[in-house]
Amino acid sequence: MTRAQGKHLGYGEWHEITQEQVQQFADATGDHQWIHLDTERAAKGPFGGTVAHGYLTLSLLPMLGREIYDFRGFSMGVNYGLNKVRFPSAVRVGKRVRAGAELKSVTPVAMGVQAVFAYTIEIEGEAKPGCVAEAVVLLVAGKDTT
């Protein structure tokens, strides 16, 4: 794992953001703002249509990250936190996103290894990403259970 430190690990597949997905996220979080759900009003709004919640985009990191790398020789991986998150561009419903990842650092800790990943969630055909985030993952030592 330390051999990959400081290296870009690649990109995952493209995934379309659907209105149904945005609706389900709104229902789960209670964030029913019109820019996410009211297609008629949002069409006249600043983004020209409904957009994914920033936190919905962020919540895709575990799925998108699994397409880029996997961990072996650990009993589990645990989301430990985020050092930095930004949403440079809105992700419109119907657009496709994918993640790119860089392994920033690997630090031994009592339970195993703490890894910091720099993610960029790209929006197909857009100059600015939908999300840039630095995520911290705790990889717990032990027999691989995957």
Side-chain angles (χ1 to χ4, degrees), residues 25 31 35-36 51-60 85-87 89-91 121 130-131:
F25 191 85
D31 181 353
I35 62 171
H36 305 302
V51 296
H53 304 72
Y55 287 132
L56 167 57
T57 305
L58 180 65
S59 75
L60 298 175
V85 178
R86 298 289 182 269
F87 304 106
S89 186
V91 179
I121 298 181
C131 180

Side-chain angles (χ1 to χ4, degrees), residues 118-133:
Y119 288 103
T120 302
I121 298 181
E122 301 177 341
I123 307 167
E124 189 174 38
E126 301 287 331
K128 290 183 179 179
C131 180
V132 290

Side-chain angles (χ1 to χ4, degrees), residues 41-125:
R41 185 174 176 191
K44 300 171 191 164
F47 304 113
T50 53
V51 296
H53 304 72
Y55 287 132
L56 167 57
T57 305
L58 180 65
S59 75
L60 298 175
L61 282 181
M63 176 193 72
L64 298 173
R66 278 192 306 273
E67 295 181 344
I68 302 168
Y69 57 82
D70 64 349
F71 305 115
R72 298 205 173 132
F74 297 96
S75 64
M76 67 179 159
V78 178
N79 292 326
Y80 191 73
L82 299 160
N83 291 335
K84 187 176 184 180
V85 178
R86 298 289 182 269
F87 304 106
S89 186
V91 179
R92 291 229 359 234
V93 168
K95 286 288 195 169
R96 296 190 325 158
V97 297
R98 72 174 182 180
E102 175 188 341
L103 180 57
K104 299 282 285 185
S105 67
V106 177
T107 307
V109 294
M111 292 182 70
V113 174
Q114 184 172 289
V116 178
F117 294 89
Y119 288 103
T120 302
I121 298 181
E122 301 177 341
I123 307 167
E124 189 174 38

